[in-house]
C-alpha cells in the first residue's frame, strides 16, 4: 500500500529537497550543530517525560540556550538607525525567522523524512503515526505544540476515518497556535494538502467550509495567544487549502480551465514556500508584487475562483467570497514579508528564479492535471502558449514574460549598468527591497516604521482579537434573547435617516441599472 | 495577426510618448490644483514642466540609481499596457494591452513603483488599495465573464452597452480614489537606504551627504510626475471604460477626456477632503458589487 501517483511524488520530492540540502547562511560549525541537536532531542524527551509524569500545571523545564531562544526584545536597538540592518531585525523580532536561516539539523531532516513517508504511506494508521512523529521531530524545544490530549484523539480519528473530516481533525495538530518555525508550518501544509488530495470522491464544499472554519479559528487564536508580527502568517496555510478546494470544485463543475489555473497556483504556492525555506533570500518570491511569481499565485487563484463563480451557478457567492479571501491572504503575506525583506539586496539569482520558476511550474501543472483533473488534459497542451501567457481559465490572459522583457528593456535604458562605477559598500549601486510604509516616528533620517514596532502591532492584534470575541458574544446574546428593538429614531427623537437613505439610494441605482439595460 | 509589427509596437510607443508629454501638466494639476482653485499662488506650470523634463534629460544622459530606474520602468510598462490612445480602426494594434491590461496587475505595479520611488503610504492606504484592486478584478470578471482586462472591457463595450460593467468600473475608480493611494510629493521621504552613501564623517562629508540627499529627493520628486500620470490613466480608464472616439482624432480626444476626468476626480476628492476615507471606499466597493450582480442577472 504505497501511494505512487504524481502529485504525491511531487510533494514528497519537495520535502526531501529541504531534508537533503541544508540551507545556506546558518551556523555551519559541525560540532556546534551536533551539540545543539543533542540538546534539542534531550529537551524534547524530558519535556515529554514532564508531560507524562507531571501535572500540567507544573513549572516548565529550563530551556537550553539555542539560537532561537536568544532573542530579547530591545526597543532601543530599533531607534539606532546605523545598527538597524536585517540581522538585528531578525534578532529583534524573535525567533520566527531565524528558523529559516538556520541550518536544518538531523532531527529536522528526520522529521521531514517522516512527513514524506507519511505522504507515501497508503495505510491510514501508518500515515497518522508518521505524521505525529513528524510533528514531534520538527518542533523546537520551547515551541507551543499541540498537547497530547488533543493530538492523540485527532490522530486516532484520522486513522479510523481517513476522509475529509479526518484531515480536518489533523489541522489543529499540524497548525497549533503559538510561535512556530517555518519548517513545521511548511511540513504541516504539505501533509494537509497531500492527505486531502487522495480522498476520493472529493467533497470540495465540505473541505472548504471545514478548512475555513478550522484555520480561521486557529489563526485568530494565534493572534490572541501569541501576538508577534509573524502571527498574521498563521492564516497563510489556508491559501493552498482554498486552492485545492477550488480545483476540486471546478473539476466537479466541469470547468477544466479553471481547475487547471487553480492547480497551477497550488503548485506554484507550495514550491515557492519550499524555496523560501530552502534559501534564505528567496522568501520574497511569494511577495504578491507583479513581476514576481507570488503575484501569479494571487492572479491565478483569483481568476479560478471567479471562473467558478461565473461558470457554476451554485458557486456564485462562494466563489466571490473565496476570491476576496485570496486577496486578503495575499495582503497578509505582504504584511509578514515586507518588514523582513526591507533593506536586503535583490540578487541576480533571485531575479532569474523569479523569471524561470513560474514558467517551469506552469508547465508542470499539466501532467499533474492528468492525475487530478481529467485524463485528457494533455490533448490541448501547447508549449508556446503555455510558456508565453498564463491563462486564468475564464478567458483572461497574462503575458508575464512580455512584462519582464519590457521592464528589463526600460530598466537597462534608465539605469545604464555599463556606466555605473561600483564603489565597495555603496548601497546605491544595487537593487534593494524598498520600504513602502510611511513612518510615524522620524528621527532625522532614521525611520521606525509602523509594522516594525512590535508593541504597536501587538496592541492592534490584541484589539482585533478582543473585538472578534466581543462581536461573537454580542451575536450569541442576540441569538439567545429576541428583544423588542429600540430604534435610533425613538431614542434620538428624529427620524432615522441612515438606513432609509441608503435603501433609497440603492433602489435608485438598481432602477438606473435596470433602465440602462 | 493581420497588423504589421510596426503598428503593434508603434501604437503603444506613441501612447508612451503622449503620456510623457502630458505627464507634467497632469501632475501639476493633481499637485497644485487645490491651491490654484482656491486662489492661492502656486508654482507656475512652466517651472514644474522644466523640472520634470530636465530630470528626464539628465536621467537619459547619466543614468539613475537602480531602484528609481526600476520604478520608472514599471511606470513605463503601465503607460504601454493601459488602453488609452488606440482608436477603433486599429483594434488589432492593441495586442500589448490585451495581454497585459489587467487592472490588478497594473495597479499593483503602480503601488510597487511608488514603493521603489520612495513615495510611502500608510499601511491602511496600501492595504485598502490592494483590496480595492482585487475587488475591481472580481467585478470585471463578474460583470463581463470571459473578457480580458481593461482592453477586453473596451471591446465588449464597443459591441453594446453594458451598464453593469460601466457602473461597477466607475465605482471601483472612485473607491480607488478614496483609499488615499494616490502618491503626492508630500509623501516622498528621504530614503533610509542612502544612509551609507558616503563614508566621510567630518563636517564637509555631512554637507556633501545632505546635498546628495537633497539632489536625490528633487530628482525623485520630478519623476513622481510620471507615476501620478500612471495613476491618473488607470483611474481614468476605470472611470470611463466605454468612452472612445470613432476616428483617430476622436480617439485622441477621448483619451484626453479620460485623463481629464481622472484629474478632475482626484482634485474634487482633494477639495472635499475625502481623499482618504475607508468607509466611502468600502461603500463604493459594495455598490460596485451590487451593480455588477444586477447587470449579470439582468443579462
Amino acid at each position: 500500500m504505497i501511494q505512487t501517483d504524481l502529485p504525491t511524488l511531487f510533494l514528497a520530492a519537495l520535502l526531501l529537497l529541504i531534508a537533503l540540502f541544508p540551507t545556506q547562511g546558518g551556523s555551519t560549525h559541525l560540532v556546534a550543530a551536533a551539540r545543539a541537536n543533542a540538546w534539542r532531542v534531550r529537551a524534547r524527551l524530558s519535556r515529554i517525560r514532564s508531560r507524562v509524569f507531571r501535572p500540567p500545571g507544573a513549572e516548565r523545564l529550563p530551556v537550553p540556550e539555542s539560537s532561537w531562544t536568544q532573542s530579547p526584545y530591545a526597543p532601543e536597538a530599533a531607534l539606532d538607525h546605523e545598527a538597524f540592518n536585517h540581522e538585528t531585525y531578525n534578532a529583534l523580532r524573535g525567533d520566527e525567522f531565524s528558523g529559516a536561516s538556520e541550518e536544518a539539523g538531523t532531527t529536522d531532516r528526520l522529521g521531514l523524512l517522516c512527513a514524506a513517508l507519511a505522504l507515501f504511506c497508503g495505510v491510514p494508521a501508518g500515515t497518522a503515526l508518521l505524521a505525529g512523529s513528524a510533528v514531534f521531530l520538527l518542533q523546537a524545544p520551547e515551541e507551543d505544540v499541540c498537547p497530547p490530549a488533543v493530538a492523540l484523539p485527532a490522530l486516532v480519528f484520522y486513522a479510523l476515518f481517513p476522509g475529509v473530516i479526518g484531515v480536518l481533525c489533523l489541522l489543529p495538530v499540524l497548525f497549533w497556535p503559538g510561535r512556530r518555525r517555518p519548517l513545521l508550518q511548511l511540513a504541516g501544509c504539505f501533509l494537509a494538502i497531500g492527505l486531502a488530495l487522495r480522498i476520493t470522491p472529493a467533497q470540495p464544499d465540505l473541505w472548504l467550509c471545514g478548512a475555513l472554519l478550522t484555520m480561521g479559528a486557529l489563526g485568530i487564536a494565534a493572534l490572541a495567544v501569541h501576538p508577534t508580527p509573524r502571527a498574521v502568517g498563521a492564516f497563510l496555510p489556508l491559501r493552498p487549502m482554498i486552492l485545492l478546494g477550488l480545483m476540486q470544485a471546478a473539476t466537479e463543475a466541469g470547468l477544466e480551465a479553471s481547475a487547471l489555473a487553480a492547480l497551477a497556483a497550488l503548485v506554484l504556492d507550495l514550491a515557492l514556500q519550499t524555496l523560501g525555506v530552502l534559501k534564505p533570500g528567496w522568501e520574497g518570491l511569494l511577495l504578491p508584487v507583479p513581476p514576481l511569481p507570488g503575484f501569479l499565485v494571487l492572479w491565478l487563484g483569483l481568476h479560478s475562483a471567479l471562473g467558478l463563480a461565473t461558470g457554476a451557478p451554485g458557486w456564485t457567492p462562494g466563489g466571490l467570497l473565496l476570491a476576496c479571501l485570496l486577496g486578503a491572504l495575499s495582503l497578509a503575506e505582504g504584511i509578514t514579508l515586507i518588514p523582513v525583506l526591507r533593506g536586503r539586496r535583490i540578487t541576480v539569482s533571485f531575479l532569474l528564479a523569479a523569471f524561470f520558476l513560474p514558467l517551469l511550474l506552469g508547465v508542470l501543472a499539466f501532467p499533474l492535471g492528468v492525475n487530478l483533473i481529467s485524463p485528457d488534459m494533455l490533448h490541448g497542451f501547447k508549449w508556446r502558449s503555455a510558456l508565453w501567457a498564463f491563462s486564468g481559465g475564464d478567458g483572461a490572459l497574462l503575458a508575464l514574460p512580455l512584462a519582464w522583457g519590457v521592464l528589463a528593456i526600460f530598466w537597462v535604458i534608465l539605469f545604464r549598468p555599463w556606466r555605473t562605477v561600483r564603489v565597495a559598500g555603496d548601497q546605491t549601486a544595487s537593487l534593494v527591497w524598498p520600504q513602502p510604509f510611511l513612518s510615524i516616528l522620524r528621527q532625522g533620517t532614521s525611520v521606525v516604521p509602523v509594522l516594525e514596532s512590535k508593541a504597536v502591532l501587538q496592541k492592534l492584534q490584541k484589539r482585533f482579537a478582543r473585538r472578534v470575541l466581543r462581536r461573537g458574544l454580542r451575536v450569541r446574546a442576540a441569538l439567545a434573547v429576541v428583544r423588542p428593538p429600540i430604534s435610533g429614531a425613538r431614542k434620538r427623537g428624529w427620524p432615522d435617516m441612515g438606513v432609509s437613505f441608503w435603501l433609497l439610494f440603492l433602489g435608485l441605482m438598481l432602477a438606473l441599472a435596470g433602465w440602462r439595460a | 495577426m493581420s497588423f504589421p509589427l510596426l503598428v503593434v509596437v508603434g501604437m503603444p510607443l506613441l501612447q508612451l510618448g503622449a503620456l510623457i508629454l502630458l505627464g507634467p501638466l497632469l501632475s501639476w494639476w493633481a499637485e497644485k490644483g487645490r491651491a490654484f482653485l482656491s486662489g492661492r499662488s502656486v508654482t507656475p506650470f512652466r517651472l514644474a514642466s522644466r523640472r520634470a523634463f530636465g530630470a528626464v534629460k539628465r536621467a537619459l544622459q547619466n543614468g539613475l540609481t537602480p531602484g528609481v530606474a526600476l520604478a520608472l520602468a514599471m511606470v513605463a510598462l503601465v503607460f504601454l499596457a493601459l488602453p488609452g490612445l488606440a482608436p477603433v480602426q486599429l483594434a488589432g494594434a492593441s495586442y500589448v494591452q490585451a495581454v497585459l491590461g489587467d487592472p490588478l496587475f497594473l495597479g499593483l505595479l503602480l503601488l510597487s513603483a511608488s514603493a521603489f520611488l520612495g513615495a510611502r503610504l500608510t499601511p491602511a492606504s496600501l492595504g485598502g488599495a490592494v483590496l480595492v484592486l482585487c475587488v475591481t478584478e472580481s467585478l470585471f470578471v463578474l460583470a463581463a465573464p470571459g473578457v480580458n482586462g481593461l482592453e477586453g472591457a473596451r471591446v465588449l463595450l464597443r459591441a453594446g452597452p453594458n451598464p453593469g460593467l460601466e457602473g461597477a468600473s466607475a465605482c471601483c475608480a472612485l473607491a480607488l480614489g478614496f483609499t488615499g493611494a494616490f502618491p503626492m510629493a508630500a509623501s516622498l521621504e528621504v530614503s533610509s537606504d542612502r544612509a551609507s552613501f558616503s563614508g566621510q564623517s567630518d563636517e564637509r562629508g555631512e554637507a556633501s551627504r545632505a546635498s546628495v540627499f537633497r539632489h536625490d529627493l528633487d530628482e525623485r520628486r520630478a519623476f513622481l510626475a510620471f507615476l501620478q500620470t500612471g495613476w491618473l490613466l488607470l483611474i481614468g480608464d476605470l472611470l470611463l471604460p466605454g468612452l472612445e472616439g470613432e476616428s483617430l482624432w476622436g480617439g485622441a480626444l477621448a483619451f484626453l477626456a479620460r485623463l481629464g476626468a481622472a484629474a478632475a476626480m482626484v482634485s474634487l476628492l482633494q477639495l472635499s477632503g475625502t481623499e482618504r476615507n475607508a468607509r466611502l471606499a468600502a461603500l463604493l466597493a459594495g455598490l460596485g458589487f451590487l451593480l455588477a450582480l444586477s447587470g449579470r442577472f439582468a443579462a
Side-chain angles (χ1 to χ4, degrees):
Chain A
M1 290 295 281
I2 296 174
Q3 299 269 334
T4 52
D5 51 336
L6 198 55
T8 308
L9 281 179
F10 170 69
L11 293 177
L14 284 182
L15 276 177
L16 290 177
L17 196 69
I18 316 173
L20 295 182
F21 293 97
T23 57
Q24 299 167 359
S27 59
T28 47
H29 201 262
L30 278 178
V31 181
R35 196 177 297 154
N37 275 327
W39 262 113
R40 286 165 61 186
V41 171
R42 210 177 304 158
R44 280 172 209 182
L45 288 179
S46 59
R47 185 171 156 165
I48 289 291
R49 223 177 291 137
S50 75
R51 281 263 165 86
V52 174
F53 295 115
R54 286 189 197 182
E59 75 284 346
R60 289 200 152 193
L61 288 178
V63 174
E65 284 286 320
S66 57
S67 63
W68 55 79
T69 55
Q70 308 167 343
S71 55
Y73 171 53
E76 63 274 8
L79 298 178
D80 182 10
H81 177 73
E82 294 299 326
F84 197 86
N85 47 17
H86 71 267
E87 282 94 9
T88 16
Y89 189 69
N90 274 350
L92 191 147
R93 318 197 34 219
D95 28 304
E96 284 86 21
F97 286 101
S98 49
S101 58
E102 181 217 2
E103 189 179 349
T106 317
T107 45
D108 291 338
R109 290 181 193 180
L110 273 178
L112 290 170
L113 205 63
C114 275
L117 285 179
L119 286 180
F120 276 127
C121 180
V123 188
T127 304
L129 201 63
L130 284 167
S133 50
V135 171
F136 168 66
L137 283 170
L138 281 172
Q139 82 201 15
E142 83 287 12
E143 228 168 56
D144 302 320
V145 284
C146 190
V150 178
L152 289 179
L155 288 170
V156 169
F157 188 85
Y158 175 75
L160 292 178
F161 308 102
V164 175
I165 307 271
V167 179
L168 290 178
C169 277
L170 276 187
L171 290 184
V173 183
L174 298 174
F175 306 105
W176 191 255
R179 62 177 70 194
R180 315 189 58 82
R181 302 170 59 208
L183 210 54
L184 182 50
Q185 189 158 342
L186 182 79
C189 215
F190 274 74
L191 275 175
I193 295 297
L195 297 185
L197 268 180
R198 66 172 68 159
I199 298 165
T200 54
Q203 294 159 289
D205 37 3
L206 180 62
W207 165 250
L208 278 172
C209 289
L212 278 183
L213 286 179
T214 320
M215 290 308 295
L218 287 175
I220 288 174
L223 283 185
V225 168
H226 201 89
T228 57
R230 181 67 173 169
V232 189
F235 288 103
L236 287 183
L238 193 54
R239 191 171 48 192
M241 295 178 196
I242 288 180
L243 291 174
L244 176 66
L246 277 177
M247 188 196 75
Q248 290 172 344
T251 310
E252 267 192 1
L255 303 165
E256 285 184 2
S258 290
L260 186 67
L263 179 62
L266 178 65
V267 167
L268 259 177
D269 191 5
L270 292 177
L272 294 180
Q273 280 189 33
T274 311
L275 285 176
V277 171
L278 198 64
K279 211 161 159 26
W282 286 15
E283 296 101 340
L285 284 177
L286 262 175
L287 205 65
V289 162
L292 298 182
F295 170 73
L296 211 53
V297 176
L298 168 65
W299 192 82
L300 287 173
L302 209 62
H303 273 278
S304 73
L306 294 168
L308 188 64
T310 51
W315 277 97
T316 303
L320 281 179
L321 178 72
L322 290 179
C324 292
L325 270 177
L326 283 173
L329 283 173
S330 282
L331 197 59
E333 182 89 58
I335 286 173
T336 51
L337 279 182
I338 284 172
V340 187
L341 293 173
R342 188 188 73 83
R344 285 200 199 180
R345 195 169 289 191
I346 302 176
T347 56
V348 178
S349 63
F350 174 84
L351 289 177
L352 286 178
F355 178 70
F356 283 111
L357 275 175
L359 302 182
L360 292 179
L361 293 167
V363 171
L364 184 65
F366 278 91
L368 288 176
V370 171
N371 231 315
L372 291 171
I373 299 168
S374 82
D376 51 351
M377 204 77 226
L378 283 176
H379 279 299
F381 179 71
K382 292 190 192 67
W383 279 101
R384 278 180 63 193
S385 62
L387 285 178
W388 173 246
F390 291 89
S391 163
D394 55 352
L397 281 179
L398 189 67
L400 213 56
L402 180 64
W404 275 92
V406 172
L407 278 181
I409 288 172
F410 278 100
W411 189 74
V412 166
I413 288 175
L414 291 166
F415 174 45
R416 329 213 142 195
W418 60 91
R419 291 188 67 169
T420 310
V421 181
R422 296 190 184 281
V423 184
D426 184 5
Q427 286 280 314
T428 55
S430 62
L431 203 54
V432 173
W433 287 104
Q435 156 68 23
F437 296 125
L438 200 64
S439 61
I440 287 178
L441 307 168
R442 292 185 202 178
Q443 293 187 340
T445 58
S446 112
V447 167
V448 183
V450 186
L451 285 178
E452 280 174 2
S453 138
K454 208 170 181 178
V456 172
L457 200 78
Q458 282 184 2
K459 204 175 282 177
L460 280 179
Q461 287 172 351
K462 273 184 185 164
R463 200 183 293 161
F464 173 70
R466 217 179 290 148
R467 205 177 284 170
V468 167
L469 194 66
R470 208 179 294 146
R471 292 257 161 90
L473 288 178
R474 210 176 290 161
V475 166
R476 205 187 62 175
L479 287 180
V481 185
V482 181
R483 284 172 299 182
I486 303 170
S487 72
R490 199 185 297 167
K491 235 182 339 189
R492 275 174 295 178
W494 66 74
D496 198 353
M497 276 294 288
V499 181
S500 52
F501 171 72
W502 286 122
L503 280 177
L504 196 68
F505 185 62
L506 175 64
L508 269 179
M509 278 300 175
L510 288 178
L512 198 66
W515 173 64
R516 281 294 303 274
Chain B
M1 238 176 301
S2 61
F3 286 91
L5 189 68
L6 190 64
V7 176
V8 172
V9 176
M11 281 310 293
L13 285 182
L14 189 66
Q15 181 176 330
L16 178 78
L19 281 167
I20 288 177
L21 285 181
L22 280 173
L25 177 63
L26 290 166
S27 152
W28 177 78
W29 178 257
E31 198 72 51
K32 309 283 181 201
R34 184 179 173 183
F36 182 73
L37 286 179
S38 54
R40 277 181 278 157
S41 65
V42 293
T43 318
F45 166 61
R46 61 172 196 284
L47 286 186
S49 73
R50 197 181 297 163
R51 188 192 291 157
F53 289 134
V56 170
K57 193 176 153 199
R58 257 174 281 130
L60 288 179
Q61 279 170 357
N62 303 332
L64 290 167
T65 52
V68 176
L70 183 60
L72 286 183
M74 285 172 170
V75 172
L77 178 57
V78 171
F79 282 177
L80 291 180
L82 272 171
L85 204 53
V88 178
Q89 286 92 350
L90 294 176
S94 52
Y95 177 72
V96 179
Q97 282 97 340
V99 291
L100 286 178
D102 195 77
L104 180 65
F105 176 73
L106 296 174
L108 286 181
L109 258 184
L110 284 173
L111 284 176
S112 46
S114 71
F116 273 105
L117 203 59
R120 298 184 180 167
L121 305 168
T122 60
S125 286
L126 198 62
V130 171
L131 288 182
V132 166
L133 286 169
C134 286
V135 166
T136 310
E137 182 88 4
S138 315
L139 295 188
F140 266 82
V141 179
L142 197 65
V147 307
N148 187 10
L150 283 164
E151 178 64 23
R154 211 170 64 126
V155 171
L156 189 77
L157 288 174
R158 189 184 301 149
N162 189 341
L165 178 60
E166 278 175 282
S169 172
C171 281
C172 286
L174 270 171
L176 203 58
F178 283 129
T179 54
F182 188 79
M184 300 295 278
S187 65
L188 277 181
E189 280 188 12
V190 174
S191 167
S192 61
D193 305 328
R194 309 292 161 80
S196 59
F197 183 73
S198 158
Q200 306 169 15
S201 60
D202 57 341
E203 204 166 301
R204 196 154 148 261
E206 283 297 318
S208 76
R209 191 184 299 183
S211 79
V212 165
F213 279 157
R214 177 71 181 271
H215 173 258
D216 178 54
L217 196 63
D218 281 350
E219 188 191 72
R220 283 186 293 138
R221 184 176 294 155
F223 288 133
L224 188 72
F226 301 105
L227 179 62
Q228 285 172 333
T229 311
W231 268 108
L232 285 179
L233 187 61
L234 178 65
I235 290 177
D237 276 345
L238 285 175
L239 201 61
L240 299 167
L243 183 68
E244 59 181 357
E246 292 296 321
S247 63
L248 196 66
W249 293 109
L253 266 182
F255 175 60
L256 289 180
R258 243 179 282 155
L259 284 174
M265 192 198 93
V266 166
S267 58
L268 199 67
L269 292 187
Q270 285 173 358
L271 280 174
S272 58
T274 47
E275 68 261 42
R276 197 158 63 222
N277 193 326
R279 289 190 179 194
L280 284 178
L283 178 80
L284 280 165
L287 188 64
F289 259 113
L290 275 176
L291 285 177
L293 278 175
S294 69
R296 181 167 163 66
F297 287 131

